[in-house]
Short mmCIF file of all heavy atoms in Angstrom, two decimals:
data_model
loop_
_atom_site.label_atom_id
_atom_site.label_comp_id
_atom_site.label_asym_id
_atom_site.label_seq_id
_atom_site.Cartn_x
_atom_site.Cartn_y
_atom_site.Cartn_z
N MET A 26 -12.55 254.31 10.48
CA MET A 26 -11.11 254.22 10.59
C MET A 26 -10.71 252.82 11.02
O MET A 26 -11.42 252.17 11.77
CB MET A 26 -10.59 255.22 11.61
CG MET A 26 -10.64 256.64 11.22
SD MET A 26 -9.67 257.60 12.38
CE MET A 26 -9.10 258.84 11.31
N ARG A 27 -9.58 252.41 10.56
CA ARG A 27 -9.04 251.10 10.91
C ARG A 27 -7.81 251.27 11.79
O ARG A 27 -7.12 252.27 11.71
CB ARG A 27 -8.66 250.33 9.66
CG ARG A 27 -9.86 249.93 8.86
CD ARG A 27 -9.41 249.08 7.70
NE ARG A 27 -10.58 248.67 6.96
CZ ARG A 27 -10.81 247.44 6.56
NH1 ARG A 27 -9.94 246.49 6.81
NH2 ARG A 27 -11.88 247.15 5.89
N HIS A 28 -7.58 250.26 12.60
CA HIS A 28 -6.44 250.27 13.50
C HIS A 28 -5.27 249.53 12.86
O HIS A 28 -5.45 248.43 12.33
CB HIS A 28 -6.80 249.63 14.84
CG HIS A 28 -5.72 249.71 15.85
ND1 HIS A 28 -5.45 250.88 16.52
CD2 HIS A 28 -4.84 248.81 16.28
CE1 HIS A 28 -4.42 250.67 17.34
NE2 HIS A 28 -4.03 249.41 17.21
N TYR A 29 -4.10 250.13 12.89
CA TYR A 29 -2.90 249.53 12.31
C TYR A 29 -1.78 249.51 13.35
O TYR A 29 -1.65 250.43 14.16
CB TYR A 29 -2.41 250.32 11.10
CG TYR A 29 -3.38 250.32 9.95
CD1 TYR A 29 -4.29 251.37 9.79
CD2 TYR A 29 -3.40 249.29 9.03
CE1 TYR A 29 -5.17 251.38 8.72
CE2 TYR A 29 -4.27 249.28 7.97
CZ TYR A 29 -5.17 250.34 7.83
OH TYR A 29 -6.05 250.34 6.78
N GLU A 30 -0.98 248.47 13.29
CA GLU A 30 0.23 248.39 14.09
C GLU A 30 1.40 248.30 13.13
O GLU A 30 1.47 247.38 12.31
CB GLU A 30 0.22 247.17 15.01
CG GLU A 30 1.46 247.09 15.86
CD GLU A 30 1.44 245.91 16.81
OE1 GLU A 30 1.54 244.77 16.33
OE2 GLU A 30 1.30 246.16 18.01
N ILE A 31 2.29 249.26 13.21
CA ILE A 31 3.43 249.35 12.30
C ILE A 31 4.70 249.20 13.12
O ILE A 31 4.89 249.90 14.11
CB ILE A 31 3.44 250.69 11.56
CG1 ILE A 31 2.15 250.86 10.78
CG2 ILE A 31 4.66 250.79 10.65
CD1 ILE A 31 1.91 252.27 10.30
N VAL A 32 5.56 248.30 12.72
CA VAL A 32 6.86 248.13 13.36
C VAL A 32 7.91 248.36 12.29
O VAL A 32 7.86 247.72 11.24
CB VAL A 32 7.02 246.73 13.99
CG1 VAL A 32 8.42 246.57 14.58
CG2 VAL A 32 5.97 246.50 15.05
N PHE A 33 8.81 249.29 12.54
CA PHE A 33 9.90 249.48 11.59
C PHE A 33 11.23 249.38 12.31
O PHE A 33 11.31 249.58 13.52
CB PHE A 33 9.77 250.80 10.81
CG PHE A 33 10.00 252.05 11.59
CD1 PHE A 33 11.27 252.60 11.68
CD2 PHE A 33 8.95 252.69 12.21
CE1 PHE A 33 11.49 253.77 12.38
CE2 PHE A 33 9.16 253.86 12.90
CZ PHE A 33 10.43 254.40 13.00
N ILE A 34 12.24 249.04 11.54
CA ILE A 34 13.58 248.93 12.10
C ILE A 34 14.46 249.98 11.43
O ILE A 34 14.24 250.36 10.28
CB ILE A 34 14.18 247.52 11.93
CG1 ILE A 34 14.28 247.13 10.46
CG2 ILE A 34 13.36 246.50 12.69
CD1 ILE A 34 15.02 245.84 10.23
N ALA A 35 15.44 250.46 12.18
CA ALA A 35 16.36 251.47 11.67
C ALA A 35 17.79 251.00 11.92
O ALA A 35 18.07 250.36 12.94
CB ALA A 35 16.12 252.81 12.34
N HIS A 36 18.65 251.34 11.02
CA HIS A 36 20.07 250.99 11.12
C HIS A 36 20.66 251.59 12.40
O HIS A 36 20.32 252.72 12.76
CB HIS A 36 20.81 251.53 9.89
CG HIS A 36 22.15 250.95 9.69
ND1 HIS A 36 23.25 251.41 10.36
CD2 HIS A 36 22.58 249.93 8.90
CE1 HIS A 36 24.31 250.72 9.99
NE2 HIS A 36 23.93 249.81 9.10
N PRO A 37 21.51 250.87 13.10
CA PRO A 37 22.06 251.39 14.36
C PRO A 37 22.88 252.66 14.20
O PRO A 37 23.00 253.44 15.13
CB PRO A 37 22.91 250.24 14.91
CG PRO A 37 23.06 249.27 13.82
CD PRO A 37 21.97 249.51 12.83
N HIS A 38 23.44 252.90 13.01
CA HIS A 38 24.19 254.12 12.80
C HIS A 38 23.28 255.35 12.61
O HIS A 38 23.76 256.47 12.55
CB HIS A 38 25.10 253.98 11.57
CG HIS A 38 26.24 253.05 11.82
ND1 HIS A 38 26.12 251.67 11.66
CD2 HIS A 38 27.51 253.27 12.22
CE1 HIS A 38 27.27 251.11 11.94
NE2 HIS A 38 28.13 252.05 12.29
N GLN A 39 21.97 255.11 12.53
CA GLN A 39 21.01 256.19 12.36
C GLN A 39 20.35 256.61 13.67
O GLN A 39 19.28 257.21 13.68
CB GLN A 39 19.92 255.76 11.35
CG GLN A 39 20.44 255.41 9.99
CD GLN A 39 20.99 256.62 9.26
OE1 GLN A 39 20.48 257.72 9.39
NE2 GLN A 39 22.05 256.43 8.51
N SER A 40 20.99 256.30 14.79
CA SER A 40 20.41 256.59 16.11
C SER A 40 20.07 258.05 16.30
O SER A 40 19.03 258.40 16.86
CB SER A 40 21.37 256.16 17.21
OG SER A 40 21.60 254.78 17.15
N ALA A 41 20.93 258.94 15.83
CA ALA A 41 20.70 260.37 16.03
C ALA A 41 19.52 260.87 15.20
O ALA A 41 18.84 261.82 15.59
CB ALA A 41 21.96 261.15 15.65
N LYS A 42 19.24 260.22 14.09
CA LYS A 42 18.15 260.65 13.20
C LYS A 42 16.82 259.99 13.53
O LYS A 42 15.80 260.35 12.95
CB LYS A 42 18.52 260.35 11.75
CG LYS A 42 19.73 261.10 11.27
CD LYS A 42 20.06 260.74 9.85
CE LYS A 42 21.32 261.45 9.38
NZ LYS A 42 21.66 261.09 8.01
N LEU A 43 16.81 259.05 14.45
CA LEU A 43 15.59 258.30 14.74
C LEU A 43 14.45 259.18 15.27
O LEU A 43 13.32 259.04 14.80
CB LEU A 43 15.91 257.16 15.72
CG LEU A 43 14.83 256.11 15.90
CD1 LEU A 43 14.49 255.43 14.59
CD2 LEU A 43 15.27 255.09 16.92
N PRO A 44 14.66 260.09 16.22
CA PRO A 44 13.54 260.94 16.68
C PRO A 44 12.93 261.79 15.55
O PRO A 44 11.71 261.95 15.49
CB PRO A 44 14.18 261.83 17.74
CG PRO A 44 15.36 261.07 18.22
CD PRO A 44 15.86 260.32 17.02
N ALA A 45 13.75 262.28 14.65
CA ALA A 45 13.23 263.06 13.52
C ALA A 45 12.40 262.19 12.59
O ALA A 45 11.36 262.63 12.06
CB ALA A 45 14.38 263.71 12.77
N ARG A 46 12.83 260.95 12.39
CA ARG A 46 12.07 260.03 11.53
C ARG A 46 10.71 259.71 12.15
O ARG A 46 9.69 259.71 11.46
CB ARG A 46 12.86 258.75 11.32
CG ARG A 46 12.15 257.76 10.43
CD ARG A 46 12.95 256.53 10.22
NE ARG A 46 14.11 256.88 9.38
CZ ARG A 46 14.99 255.99 8.95
NH1 ARG A 46 14.87 254.73 9.27
NH2 ARG A 46 16.00 256.37 8.20
N VAL A 47 10.69 259.45 13.45
CA VAL A 47 9.43 259.16 14.13
C VAL A 47 8.50 260.37 14.07
O VAL A 47 7.30 260.23 13.82
CB VAL A 47 9.69 258.74 15.60
CG1 VAL A 47 8.41 258.67 16.38
CG2 VAL A 47 10.41 257.40 15.64
N GLU A 48 9.04 261.56 14.25
CA GLU A 48 8.23 262.77 14.17
C GLU A 48 7.67 262.97 12.76
O GLU A 48 6.53 263.38 12.59
CB GLU A 48 9.08 263.99 14.57
CG GLU A 48 8.32 265.28 14.57
CD GLU A 48 7.15 265.31 15.55
OE1 GLU A 48 7.26 264.67 16.61
OE2 GLU A 48 6.13 265.94 15.23
N ARG A 49 8.46 262.64 11.75
CA ARG A 49 7.98 262.76 10.37
C ARG A 49 6.83 261.79 10.12
O ARG A 49 5.83 262.15 9.49
CB ARG A 49 9.13 262.48 9.41
CG ARG A 49 8.74 262.70 7.95
CD ARG A 49 9.90 262.50 7.03
NE ARG A 49 10.30 261.10 7.10
CZ ARG A 49 11.47 260.64 6.71
NH1 ARG A 49 12.37 261.46 6.25
NH2 ARG A 49 11.75 259.36 6.79
N TYR A 50 6.94 260.55 10.62
CA TYR A 50 5.85 259.59 10.45
C TYR A 50 4.61 260.03 11.21
O TYR A 50 3.49 259.89 10.71
CB TYR A 50 6.28 258.20 10.92
CG TYR A 50 7.36 257.56 10.07
CD1 TYR A 50 8.20 256.60 10.60
CD2 TYR A 50 7.52 257.90 8.74
CE1 TYR A 50 9.18 256.01 9.84
CE2 TYR A 50 8.51 257.31 7.97
CZ TYR A 50 9.34 256.37 8.52
OH TYR A 50 10.31 255.79 7.75
N ASN A 51 4.78 260.57 12.40
CA ASN A 51 3.65 261.08 13.18
C ASN A 51 2.96 262.22 12.42
O ASN A 51 1.74 262.28 12.37
CB ASN A 51 4.12 261.55 14.55
CG ASN A 51 2.99 261.95 15.45
OD1 ASN A 51 1.84 261.66 15.18
ND2 ASN A 51 3.32 262.62 16.53
N LYS A 52 3.74 263.10 11.83
CA LYS A 52 3.17 264.22 11.07
C LYS A 52 2.40 263.71 9.86
O LYS A 52 1.32 264.23 9.54
CB LYS A 52 4.31 265.15 10.63
CG LYS A 52 3.84 266.39 9.96
CD LYS A 52 5.03 267.29 9.63
CE LYS A 52 4.57 268.53 8.89
NZ LYS A 52 5.71 269.38 8.51
N MET A 53 2.93 262.68 9.18
CA MET A 53 2.24 262.12 8.02
C MET A 53 0.88 261.54 8.43
O MET A 53 -0.12 261.72 7.72
CB MET A 53 3.09 261.02 7.38
CG MET A 53 4.28 261.53 6.63
SD MET A 53 5.43 260.25 6.09
CE MET A 53 4.39 259.06 5.32
N VAL A 54 0.83 260.88 9.56
CA VAL A 54 -0.41 260.27 10.03
C VAL A 54 -1.43 261.35 10.39
O VAL A 54 -2.59 261.29 9.99
CB VAL A 54 -0.15 259.35 11.24
CG1 VAL A 54 -1.44 258.92 11.90
CG2 VAL A 54 0.65 258.12 10.79
N THR A 55 -1.00 262.35 11.14
CA THR A 55 -1.95 263.39 11.58
C THR A 55 -2.41 264.25 10.42
O THR A 55 -3.57 264.70 10.42
CB THR A 55 -1.33 264.26 12.69
OG1 THR A 55 -0.09 264.80 12.24
CG2 THR A 55 -1.10 263.46 13.95
N GLU A 56 -1.57 264.48 9.42
CA GLU A 56 -1.99 265.27 8.25
C GLU A 56 -3.03 264.52 7.42
O GLU A 56 -3.82 265.13 6.72
CB GLU A 56 -0.79 265.63 7.38
CG GLU A 56 0.06 266.73 7.96
CD GLU A 56 1.27 267.04 7.11
OE1 GLU A 56 1.54 266.30 6.13
OE2 GLU A 56 1.96 268.01 7.44
N ALA A 57 -3.04 263.20 7.51
CA ALA A 57 -4.01 262.38 6.78
C ALA A 57 -5.22 262.06 7.66
O ALA A 57 -5.94 261.10 7.41
CB ALA A 57 -3.36 261.09 6.31
N ASN A 58 -5.44 262.88 8.70
CA ASN A 58 -6.56 262.73 9.64
C ASN A 58 -6.51 261.42 10.41
O ASN A 58 -7.54 260.88 10.79
CB ASN A 58 -7.91 262.87 8.93
CG ASN A 58 -8.09 264.25 8.36
OD1 ASN A 58 -7.60 265.24 8.92
ND2 ASN A 58 -8.76 264.35 7.23
N GLY A 59 -5.33 260.91 10.64
CA GLY A 59 -5.15 259.71 11.46
C GLY A 59 -4.83 260.10 12.89
O GLY A 59 -4.63 261.27 13.22
N VAL A 60 -4.80 259.10 13.75
CA VAL A 60 -4.52 259.32 15.18
C VAL A 60 -3.43 258.34 15.61
O VAL A 60 -3.54 257.14 15.38
CB VAL A 60 -5.78 259.09 16.03
CG1 VAL A 60 -5.48 259.29 17.50
CG2 VAL A 60 -6.91 260.00 15.58
N LEU A 61 -2.39 258.87 16.23
CA LEU A 61 -1.33 258.03 16.79
C LEU A 61 -1.72 257.70 18.22
O LEU A 61 -1.83 258.59 19.06
CB LEU A 61 0.01 258.77 16.76
CG LEU A 61 1.18 258.05 17.40
CD1 LEU A 61 1.56 256.82 16.60
CD2 LEU A 61 2.37 258.98 17.54
N HIS A 62 -1.96 256.42 18.50
CA HIS A 62 -2.37 256.01 19.83
C HIS A 62 -1.19 255.67 20.73
O HIS A 62 -1.20 255.98 21.91
CB HIS A 62 -3.30 254.80 19.77
CG HIS A 62 -4.65 255.13 19.25
ND1 HIS A 62 -5.58 255.85 19.97
CD2 HIS A 62 -5.24 254.87 18.06
CE1 HIS A 62 -6.66 256.00 19.26
NE2 HIS A 62 -6.48 255.41 18.08
N ARG A 63 -0.20 255.01 20.16
CA ARG A 63 0.93 254.57 20.99
C ARG A 63 2.19 254.54 20.15
O ARG A 63 2.19 254.11 19.02
CB ARG A 63 0.66 253.20 21.57
CG ARG A 63 1.72 252.75 22.56
CD ARG A 63 1.35 251.47 23.24
NE ARG A 63 1.09 250.43 22.24
CZ ARG A 63 1.47 249.17 22.37
NH1 ARG A 63 2.09 248.78 23.45
NH2 ARG A 63 1.19 248.29 21.44
N LEU A 64 3.24 255.02 20.76
CA LEU A 64 4.56 254.97 20.17
C LEU A 64 5.48 254.29 21.16
O LEU A 64 5.56 254.70 22.31
CB LEU A 64 5.07 256.39 19.88
CG LEU A 64 6.54 256.54 19.54
CD1 LEU A 64 6.84 255.92 18.20
CD2 LEU A 64 6.90 258.02 19.54
N ALA A 65 6.13 253.21 20.73
CA ALA A 65 7.01 252.47 21.64
C ALA A 65 8.35 252.24 20.96
O ALA A 65 8.41 251.65 19.87
CB ALA A 65 6.38 251.14 22.01
N HIS A 66 9.39 252.74 21.58
CA HIS A 66 10.75 252.48 21.08
C HIS A 66 11.27 251.28 21.86
O HIS A 66 11.51 251.36 23.05
CB HIS A 66 11.64 253.71 21.30
CG HIS A 66 13.01 253.52 20.77
ND1 HIS A 66 14.11 253.43 21.59
CD2 HIS A 66 13.47 253.37 19.51
CE1 HIS A 66 15.19 253.26 20.85
NE2 HIS A 66 14.83 253.22 19.59
N TRP A 67 11.42 250.15 21.17
CA TRP A 67 11.83 248.91 21.82
C TRP A 67 13.33 248.85 22.03
O TRP A 67 13.83 247.89 22.61
CB TRP A 67 11.38 247.72 20.99
CG TRP A 67 9.89 247.56 20.90
CD1 TRP A 67 8.95 248.18 21.67
CD2 TRP A 67 9.18 246.73 20.00
NE1 TRP A 67 7.70 247.79 21.29
CE2 TRP A 67 7.82 246.89 20.26
CE3 TRP A 67 9.57 245.87 18.98
CZ2 TRP A 67 6.84 246.22 19.55
CZ3 TRP A 67 8.60 245.21 18.28
CH2 TRP A 67 7.25 245.38 18.56
N GLY A 68 14.05 249.82 21.50
CA GLY A 68 15.48 249.86 21.70
C GLY A 68 16.25 249.13 20.61
O GLY A 68 15.70 248.68 19.60
N ARG A 69 17.52 249.02 20.85
CA ARG A 69 18.42 248.36 19.89
C ARG A 69 18.46 246.87 20.23
O ARG A 69 18.83 246.49 21.34
CB ARG A 69 19.81 248.97 20.00
CG ARG A 69 20.77 248.51 19.00
CD ARG A 69 22.05 249.30 19.12
NE ARG A 69 23.08 248.69 18.30
CZ ARG A 69 24.30 249.12 18.22
NH1 ARG A 69 24.68 250.16 18.92
NH2 ARG A 69 25.16 248.51 17.44
N ARG A 70 18.07 246.06 19.27
CA ARG A 70 17.97 244.61 19.49
C ARG A 70 18.71 243.83 18.42
O ARG A 70 18.95 244.32 17.32
CB ARG A 70 16.51 244.18 19.48
CG ARG A 70 15.72 244.76 20.63
CD ARG A 70 14.33 244.26 20.59
NE ARG A 70 13.62 244.70 21.78
CZ ARG A 70 12.65 244.04 22.33
NH1 ARG A 70 12.24 242.91 21.82
NH2 ARG A 70 12.06 244.50 23.40
N GLU A 71 19.00 242.61 18.78
CA GLU A 71 19.66 241.67 17.86
C GLU A 71 18.66 241.23 16.79
O GLU A 71 17.51 240.90 17.08
CB GLU A 71 20.14 240.46 18.65
CG GLU A 71 21.00 239.51 17.86
CD GLU A 71 22.45 239.95 17.80
OE1 GLU A 71 22.88 240.72 18.67
OE2 GLU A 71 23.12 239.51 16.87
N LEU A 72 19.08 241.21 15.54
CA LEU A 72 18.25 240.70 14.45
C LEU A 72 18.33 239.17 14.42
O LEU A 72 19.35 238.60 14.81
CB LEU A 72 18.72 241.27 13.11
CG LEU A 72 18.60 242.78 12.94
CD1 LEU A 72 19.31 243.21 11.66
CD2 LEU A 72 17.15 243.20 12.89
N ASP A 73 17.29 238.52 13.96
CA ASP A 73 17.32 237.06 13.85
C ASP A 73 18.36 236.59 12.84
O ASP A 73 18.95 235.53 12.98
CB ASP A 73 15.95 236.52 13.45
CG ASP A 73 14.97 236.57 14.60
OD1 ASP A 73 15.42 236.59 15.75
OD2 ASP A 73 13.76 236.57 14.33
N TYR A 74 18.53 237.37 11.79
CA TYR A 74 19.56 237.07 10.80
C TYR A 74 20.10 238.41 10.29
O TYR A 74 19.39 239.41 10.28
CB TYR A 74 19.00 236.23 9.65
CG TYR A 74 17.77 236.79 9.00
CD1 TYR A 74 17.87 237.65 7.91
CD2 TYR A 74 16.51 236.46 9.46
CE1 TYR A 74 16.75 238.17 7.31
CE2 TYR A 74 15.38 236.97 8.87
CZ TYR A 74 15.50 237.84 7.79
OH TYR A 74 14.39 238.36 7.20
N PRO A 75 21.35 238.46 9.88
CA PRO A 75 21.94 239.73 9.46
C PRO A 75 21.31 240.28 8.18
O PRO A 75 21.00 239.53 7.25
CB PRO A 75 23.41 239.41 9.24
CG PRO A 75 23.55 237.95 9.35
CD PRO A 75 22.30 237.37 9.87
N LEU A 76 21.09 241.58 8.16
CA LEU A 76 20.62 242.28 6.98
C LEU A 76 21.76 243.19 6.52
O LEU A 76 22.15 244.11 7.25
CB LEU A 76 19.38 243.12 7.29
CG LEU A 76 18.14 242.36 7.69
CD1 LEU A 76 17.04 243.32 8.11
CD2 LEU A 76 17.65 241.51 6.53
N ASP A 77 22.28 242.93 5.36
CA ASP A 77 23.36 243.74 4.80
C ASP A 77 24.52 243.85 5.79
O ASP A 77 25.02 244.93 6.08
CB ASP A 77 22.83 245.11 4.41
CG ASP A 77 23.73 245.82 3.42
OD1 ASP A 77 24.50 245.13 2.72
OD2 ASP A 77 23.66 247.05 3.34
N LYS A 78 24.90 242.71 6.36
CA LYS A 78 26.01 242.58 7.31
C LYS A 78 25.78 243.34 8.63
O LYS A 78 26.71 243.63 9.36
CB LYS A 78 27.32 243.03 6.69
CG LYS A 78 27.75 242.21 5.50
CD LYS A 78 29.05 242.69 4.94
CE LYS A 78 29.41 241.90 3.70
NZ LYS A 78 30.64 242.38 3.09
N CYS A 79 24.55 243.65 8.91
CA CYS A 79 24.19 244.36 10.15
C CYS A 79 23.48 243.37 11.08
O CYS A 79 22.52 242.72 10.67
CB CYS A 79 23.30 245.54 9.82
SG CYS A 79 23.07 246.65 11.18
N HIS A 80 23.93 243.26 12.32
CA HIS A 80 23.39 242.27 13.24
C HIS A 80 22.43 242.86 14.27
O HIS A 80 21.75 242.12 14.97
CB HIS A 80 24.53 241.56 13.98
CG HIS A 80 25.41 240.78 13.05
ND1 HIS A 80 25.09 239.54 12.61
CD2 HIS A 80 26.59 241.10 12.46
CE1 HIS A 80 26.03 239.10 11.79
NE2 HIS A 80 26.96 240.04 11.68
N LYS A 81 22.39 244.19 14.39
CA LYS A 81 21.48 244.85 15.33
C LYS A 81 20.74 245.97 14.64
O LYS A 81 21.19 246.48 13.62
CB LYS A 81 22.26 245.41 16.53
CG LYS A 81 22.86 244.33 17.40
CD LYS A 81 23.42 244.93 18.66
CE LYS A 81 23.94 243.78 19.53
NZ LYS A 81 24.30 244.25 20.85
N ALA A 82 19.59 246.36 15.22
CA ALA A 82 18.80 247.45 14.67
C ALA A 82 17.92 248.04 15.76
O ALA A 82 17.65 247.39 16.77
CB ALA A 82 17.94 246.97 13.50
N HIS A 83 17.47 249.26 15.55
CA HIS A 83 16.51 249.91 16.45
C HIS A 83 15.10 249.53 16.00
O HIS A 83 14.78 249.63 14.82
CB HIS A 83 16.65 251.43 16.40
CG HIS A 83 17.90 251.94 17.03
ND1 HIS A 83 18.00 252.11 18.39
CD2 HIS A 83 19.08 252.30 16.51
CE1 HIS A 83 19.21 252.57 18.66
NE2 HIS A 83 19.88 252.69 17.53
N TYR A 84 14.27 249.11 16.94
CA TYR A 84 12.89 248.74 16.66
C TYR A 84 11.96 249.82 17.20
O TYR A 84 12.11 250.24 18.36
CB TYR A 84 12.53 247.41 17.34
CG TYR A 84 13.06 246.18 16.66
CD1 TYR A 84 14.40 245.85 16.71
CD2 TYR A 84 12.20 245.35 15.97
CE1 TYR A 84 14.88 244.72 16.10
CE2 TYR A 84 12.68 244.20 15.35
CZ TYR A 84 14.01 243.90 15.43
OH TYR A 84 14.48 242.76 14.81
N VAL A 85 11.00 250.24 16.39
CA VAL A 85 10.00 251.24 16.81
C VAL A 85 8.63 250.73 16.40
O VAL A 85 8.44 250.28 15.27
CB VAL A 85 10.28 252.61 16.18
CG1 VAL A 85 9.22 253.62 16.60
CG2 VAL A 85 11.66 253.12 16.53
N SER A 86 7.68 250.80 17.32
CA SER A 86 6.31 250.35 17.07
C SER A 86 5.36 251.55 17.14
O SER A 86 5.44 252.35 18.06
CB SER A 86 5.91 249.31 18.12
OG SER A 86 4.53 249.01 18.02
N LEU A 87 4.46 251.64 16.15
CA LEU A 87 3.45 252.69 16.10
C LEU A 87 2.07 252.03 16.04
O LEU A 87 1.86 251.16 15.20
CB LEU A 87 3.63 253.57 14.87
CG LEU A 87 4.95 254.27 14.68
CD1 LEU A 87 5.05 254.81 13.26
CD2 LEU A 87 5.10 255.38 15.67
N ASN A 88 1.16 252.45 16.87
CA ASN A 88 -0.23 252.03 16.78
C ASN A 88 -1.05 253.23 16.36
O ASN A 88 -1.07 254.24 17.07
CB ASN A 88 -0.75 251.49 18.11
CG ASN A 88 -0.17 250.14 18.44
OD1 ASN A 88 0.79 249.70 17.85
ND2 ASN A 88 -0.77 249.48 19.42
N ILE A 89 -1.70 253.14 15.20
CA ILE A 89 -2.43 254.28 14.65
C ILE A 89 -3.82 253.87 14.21
O ILE A 89 -4.09 252.70 13.95
CB ILE A 89 -1.67 254.91 13.47
CG1 ILE A 89 -1.54 253.92 12.30
CG2 ILE A 89 -0.29 255.40 13.88
CD1 ILE A 89 -1.00 254.53 11.03
N ASP A 90 -4.69 254.85 14.12
CA ASP A 90 -5.97 254.72 13.43
C ASP A 90 -5.89 255.59 12.21
O ASP A 90 -5.47 256.76 12.29
CB ASP A 90 -7.13 255.20 14.32
CG ASP A 90 -7.56 254.17 15.34
OD1 ASP A 90 -7.24 252.98 15.14
OD2 ASP A 90 -8.21 254.54 16.32
N ALA A 91 -6.27 255.04 11.05
CA ALA A 91 -6.17 255.78 9.80
C ALA A 91 -7.23 255.28 8.83
O ALA A 91 -7.75 254.18 8.95
CB ALA A 91 -4.79 255.62 9.19
N GLU A 92 -7.51 256.13 7.85
CA GLU A 92 -8.43 255.77 6.78
C GLU A 92 -7.72 254.75 5.88
O GLU A 92 -6.50 254.73 5.78
CB GLU A 92 -8.82 256.99 5.95
CG GLU A 92 -9.61 258.02 6.71
CD GLU A 92 -10.99 257.55 7.09
OE1 GLU A 92 -11.58 256.74 6.35
OE2 GLU A 92 -11.49 258.01 8.13
N THR A 93 -8.49 253.92 5.20
CA THR A 93 -7.88 252.92 4.33
C THR A 93 -7.46 253.50 3.02
O THR A 93 -7.80 254.54 2.61
CB THR A 93 -8.87 251.76 4.07
OG1 THR A 93 -10.06 252.30 3.55
CG2 THR A 93 -9.10 250.99 5.31
#
């Protein structure tokens, strides 16, 4: 197994759906015989440059072990 660090960002208007999205990703990893080692929600942060007129986003980091 290899170790991966995944960081994804979510639109600030999707705050209510964020826990469900993280749970879905966790389920995908565990169904593929992977292991979630660490989940860190870094909170809502300023983007370095706007994406689609959006200046802030939620950052979530996942550390997993998975097959290649």
Side-chain angles (χ1 to χ4, degrees):
M26 288 192 148
R27 292 184 179 227
H28 185 76
Y29 296 95
E30 181 178 70
I31 302 166
V32 177
F33 70 91
I34 60 173
H36 195 278
H38 289 85
Q39 300 293 324
S40 298
K42 297 179 183 179
L43 192 60
R46 181 179 290 183
V47 170
E48 182 61 33
R49 185 177 65 198
Y50 293 155
N51 186 14
K52 186 177 178 182
M53 288 171 49
V54 169
T55 55
E56 285 178 352
N58 296 327
V60 179
L61 176 68
H62 288 288
R63 186 173 56 140
L64 167 68
H66 182 249
W67 294 346
R69 187 174 169 182
R70 295 182 173 210
E71 188 83 22
L72 296 171
D73 285 337
Y74 53 90
L76 295 174
D77 200 23
K78 298 181 183 178
C79 191
H80 297 278
K81 292 189 177 189
H83 289 278
Y84 283 73
V85 179
S86 171
L87 303 166
N88 287 15
I89 63 171
D90 280 340
E92 296 291 330
T93 55

